[in-house]
Structures are given as C-alpha cells and as structure tokens.
Amino acid sequence: MKTIYLDNAATSFPKPPGMMEAMNSFQRDIGANPGRSGHGRSIDAGRVMYEAREALAGLFNIDDPLSVVLTKNSTEALNIVLLGALAPGDHVVTTGMEHNSVMRPLRYLASRGVDLSVIECSPQGDLDPADLQKALRKNTKLVVMTHASNVTGTIQPVAEVGRMVRQRDGVMFCVDAAQTAGALPIDVEDMNIDLLAVTGHKSLFGPQGTGALYIRRGLEKRIAPLMMGGTGSRSEFEIQPDFLPDKYESGTPNALGFAGLCAGVQFIVGQSLRAIREKEKLITAAFLQRMEGCPDVTVYGPAEADRQTAVVSFNVRNVTPSDAALYFEEECGILCRPGLHCAPAAHRTLGTFPQGTVRFSFGFFNAPGDADAAAEAIRDLLKG
Amino acid sequence: MSGSESHAVILLESVSHALRAEKILKAAGIRCKLIPVPRQLSSDCGVCLRIAAADGERAAGVLAGRLDYFNIAPLEK
C-alpha cells in the first residue's frame, strides 16, 4: 500500500534533495565547531551558520542577519522571549488559539506573579483585534500570538495587531510562526513584528532540531538569556556577552542542522513563496470542497483555503479521532495526527476539548490526487 | 597581501560579526582574511579579519554604522 503523508504540520516530509546534500557535505567536508577555533574549517562552519541567518533574514525582510538567533526549534525561541522578558508584576496578552509552546511557559509565569490575559477567539479560531486592544494595560509588556493555528490553520490578523501594538510605547510584539514560516509571507517591518519565533523542520524544509528567533535590535537589552555558557566570543570574561546573537547562543550549536535549514530556505526562494502557497492552497481547497455537504463530517476552523494554512481539522460522526487515524493508516496508508495537537487552549475554543480532532496537514510535496485519496478514506471509514 | 605588506586586523565581537564584516568588506572590494585573534591583541579564542594596513581607513568607513563595534589595530610582525 502506498503511504500518503498528511502530517506536515508536525514536521514536513519529504525534504528537498538539496537539504540532505547540504548536511552530507557539511559533515563530510567541514565538520568543525563553528566560531570556536579560528582554523579554516571552523570558519567554514561559522560561515554555514551565518548563511543560514542571512537566508532567514532575507525571507522575513530582516535587515541585520545578526539579529537572527539560531535555536533548536520555535519552542526554545518562544521560551527565550517569555521567560527572559517577563517578571512578576508585568502584564502579558495572548489568544485562545495558542500552542502549549506559548501556553505552558505563560501558565508557569502566571503562577509566579505575571499577569496573564488570554483573549477569546471565535469558534472558528479567529481573533478580533479589537478584543485584544481592549486588554492592553499600562503594565502590558508583551503581546504574544500565533500567526496561524496548528489545529485549524486559521490565519490570524497579525499585521493589524502589530500596527496596534506598535502605537503603544514599550509593548513588545512576539509572533509564533511555527506553522507559517515558509508557508505564508512574513515581513517583520510591514507587520511590525518585534520578535519572531520560527521552527526549521516544518515549512522551512530544514531538519528537526533547528529553529530561529528574530529579536529587533535594542530589545536584547530587555530579554535575559535562557542559557549561558561558551559562545566562542569574549572568552576572557566570565560573564555572558550582551550582544546579538551570542547572548542567546551558548554551547556548540547544531551547525549540521543549519546547513540543512539554509538549503531548505534556498529551496523556498527558488520555488518562490507565492508558488508554494498557491500549491498548498489548491490542495487544501480541493479537500475542503470534497468535505462540503458531508453531514457525517464536521470540519473545524474557517473551512476556506484563503483563510487558513494547509491544515484541516475534522471529526467523523461516532468515531473517535484516534480510531479514525488508526483506520486511515492501516486501511488507507494515510499518516495523520489525531488528538489535541499540544494545543488544549485551541481545542477549548473550538469546542473539541478533550476528545480532540483528526488533523490532515498537506504540504508542498503532496500530489494533487492526495486530496481525493484523503476524501476517499473518510468515505470508506463512514461506509464502515 | 604579500608577505612584505604591512597588515592590520579588525577585531569584532564574535565570529558571526567577523563573517558579516567579511561580506561587507568583500562587497566593497577590500581584500581580507579571517585569522585567529593574535595573542598580543586579545586572549579571545575567536577570529578577526586581517587586511592590508593601507585599507584601514576605507574599511572603517564601510563598516561604520553597519556593525555596532569594531576596532582596527596594526598587526606587528
């Protein structure tokens, strides 16, 4: 049986051939510690890291590649911001559609005296920016929100919120772009994003264990590092460097992974983000269309390809998400993700907590026919 | 950069900064090479950029405003 991979929102598969070639070549021909030793291959390894920063900076319209901190994933990037910027007495605003990479650090901080406002979203997962504006206070230090839900794909009005937050002195705006970096256009200037957290292994086509955090220049003064240690810079001092990116990059990094991530981003630029988005939109629209008028299937979220990423969450009447997913894999060769998708807050908003949903997430490498196969699998399950 | 030419080094905050500076200098047509920081200048374990001493002023001009910190020092033989 042919396997159809519909779990791209968890991690993209397959990857572009250039990504694997870049990693192979790094380990075969360079393989040294970046920025530690000063010999030729150490410098080459450092150059690989620098090229990855530059590629990401180019994709998100970031003017200074050195303000791109390389991390192991978006969770680390978000934790740097949340744990590093918020102290008891500060107020932070987020939405009811967040992943646990935002909610768990925030709930922890709330238990330590940080004031937390969670803005409710519609049952489709949409945020009304006006509701968020009303929540801003004198002591608000940060607004943090997802660019698109990992459960329903709902695209949030990040640019509107960014514009609003920019008008408030001293409030930082952090966007969790784990689901959108490489899938939707992101411009940190146009969207007034101060802090952008991305992961490398989803739509950026890098390997797992890579991610990045953009920190708008100057804000590094307001964000403490999550970890401290060797950076290869200022070795004579026993205190952590205070400049970007070294302040947040202690210990030997995953240079091998960033060689792959850089190639992944170059693949996106080569294909063009617009073409990637169009292709993903087409397959999402095709699947959604096949679900229309299907009384036994409930689709959550916008159910409109223009308003969501290539992620569709649904439930089949009288079948639990886990049973459905098992059926799809065993009988149809479809790999997907059932349950709560690490986002209990979002499922509460959608009314699907605690049973969750089945999530099909398409990617650039899915064939157009995969939407038909996905719809067919659901019909087969209903026929029982 | 011949052996008899006198050199200067540009000291930067980290290897990432040195790589950024290298790109900027090369784009401006200034020859440079990344080398380990000479012990007499700093005990740092990082790298710096070696340039021809004669290019010092021009290098400072191109880097100004694009990197927060750099320091150009003559390199003794």
Side-chain angles (χ1 to χ4, degrees):
Chain A
M1 185 168 37
K2 194 182 104 186
T3 293
I4 299 176
Y5 186 80
L6 297 185
D7 200 16
N8 288 282
T11 198
S12 61
F13 184 89
K15 307 287 185 190
M19 171 271 206
M20 285 163 278
E21 184 40 48
M23 293 177 75
N24 197 340
S25 140
F26 177 89
Q27 199 55 62
R28 196 180 49 222
D29 305 327
I30 303 178
N33 196 322
R36 296 298 194 268
S37 310
H39 55 73
R41 287 206 277 121
S42 165
I43 290 168
D44 287 345
R47 199 168 272 125
V48 164
M49 300 275 292
Y50 183 79
E51 296 296 332
R53 293 182 214 283
E54 212 170 58
L56 291 165
L59 194 60
F60 306 128
N61 190 28
I62 293 165
D63 66 345
D64 179 4
L66 298 181
S67 56
V68 177
V69 173
L70 298 177
T71 64
K72 67 176 171 146
N73 45 41
S74 51
T75 300
E76 184 190 354
L78 289 162
N79 271 265
I80 290 173
V81 172
L82 302 175
L83 298 177
L86 298 170
D90 290 336
H91 177 230
V92 55
V93 179
T94 193
T95 84
M97 283 303 283
E98 302 304 315
H99 188 273
N100 267 346
S101 55
V102 167
M103 288 316 300
R104 283 184 173 169
L106 287 183
R107 291 293 177 200
Y108 166 81
L109 287 164
S111 77
R112 301 292 171 111
V114 168
D115 211 351
L116 169 64
S117 297
V118 182
I119 310 305
E120 277 186 36
C121 296
S122 77
Q124 284 73 43
D126 293 300
L127 171 79
D128 182 347
D131 291 342
L132 193 142
Q133 182 154 36
K134 276 181 244 154
L136 297 176
R137 303 181 196 157
K138 264 194 185 138
N139 63 335
T140 306
K141 200 163 178 189
L142 179 77
V143 173
V144 54
M145 64 180 286
T146 188
H147 188 191
S149 160
N150 69 310
V151 178
T152 54
T154 310
I155 299 169
Q156 298 293 20
V158 161
E160 284 94 313
V161 175
R163 222 176 4 251
M164 234 162 59
V165 174
R166 180 52 52 90
Q167 287 162 9
R168 307 281 292 228
D169 273 350
V171 185
M172 297 182 280
F173 182 41
C174 177
V175 174
D176 168 9
Q179 290 296 325
T180 56
L184 297 179
I186 297 175
D187 183 316
V188 298
E189 294 308 322
D190 278 1
M191 296 164 123
N192 290 301
I193 297 170
D194 296 318
L195 304 152
L196 179 73
V198 304
T199 197
H201 67 102
K202 293 180 178 174
S203 292
L204 291 176
F205 295 125
Q208 295 171 11
T210 59
L213 171 65
Y214 159 67
I215 299 184
R216 187 175 291 280
R217 201 154 268 288
L219 295 185
E220 75 274 14
K221 293 180 181 70
R222 299 174 59 189
I223 302 169
L226 196 57
M227 295 207 308
M228 298 179 216
T231 56
S233 53
R234 302 239 173 125
S235 298
E236 65 271 43
F237 298 112
E238 290 183 1
I239 54 162
Q240 186 75 0
D242 58 357
F243 53 82
L244 285 168
D246 295 38
K247 183 174 183 179
Y248 307 97
E249 289 185 359
S250 290
T252 298
N254 180 9
L256 171 66
F258 291 111
L261 176 58
C262 186
V265 175
Q266 284 161 354
F267 174 81
I268 293 166
V269 174
Q271 294 289 325
S272 100
L273 192 61
R274 179 192 291 262
I276 291 174
R277 171 65 177 149
E278 282 310 310
K279 190 173 175 198
E280 292 191 352
K281 214 156 74 174
L282 221 57
I283 193 167
T284 309
F287 177 70
L288 286 169
Q289 196 191 358
R290 282 159 184 74
M291 291 300 99
E292 268 172 33
C294 203
D296 295 320
V297 178
T298 308
V299 173
Y300 303 94
E304 239 181 87
D306 274 340
R307 295 175 52 216
Q308 66 191 79
T309 57
V311 169
V312 182
S313 250
F314 62 90
N315 269 316
V316 178
R317 193 153 69 103
N318 297 331
V319 187
T320 65
S322 53
D323 284 348
L326 188 61
Y327 175 88
F328 294 143
E329 175 165 16
E330 288 185 337
E331 303 300 322
C332 321
I334 291 176
L335 309 180
C336 64
R337 180 169 176 188
L340 290 172
H341 314 99
C342 294
H347 280 281
R348 282 196 183 89
T349 298
L350 303 167
T352 49
F353 186 85
Q355 81 278 8
T357 57
V358 182
R359 182 183 74 180
F360 282 179
S361 50
F362 301 95
F364 178 74
F365 288 107
N366 278 117
D370 291 351
D372 295 316
E376 193 62 36
I378 296 171
R379 271 194 294 274
D380 287 349
L381 171 65
L382 281 165
K383 272 188 253 161
Chain B
M1 272 181 251
S2 70
S4 60
E5 196 177 3
S6 70
H7 289 129
V9 292
I10 308 175
L11 298 165
L12 296 123
E13 286 180 302
S14 74
V15 69
S16 313
H17 293 77
L19 288 161
R20 175 144 170 84
E22 182 193 36
K23 280 220 157 184
I24 295 169
L25 292 180
K26 284 190 170 161
I30 299 173
R31 283 192 305 161
C32 57
K33 182 177 163 53
L34 285 156
I35 61 165
V37 178
R39 179 66 188 85
Q40 67 270 24
L41 293 177
S42 162
S43 54
D44 200 354
C45 62
V47 294
C48 63
L49 276 168
R50 189 180 66 189
I51 54 168
D55 284 334
E57 212 165 300
R58 208 154 73 82
V62 218
L63 294 177
R66 304 190 62 183
L67 284 162
D68 285 345
Y69 168 87
F70 62 89
N71 184 24
I72 302 186
L75 186 58
E76 288 163 29
K77 291 232 172 97

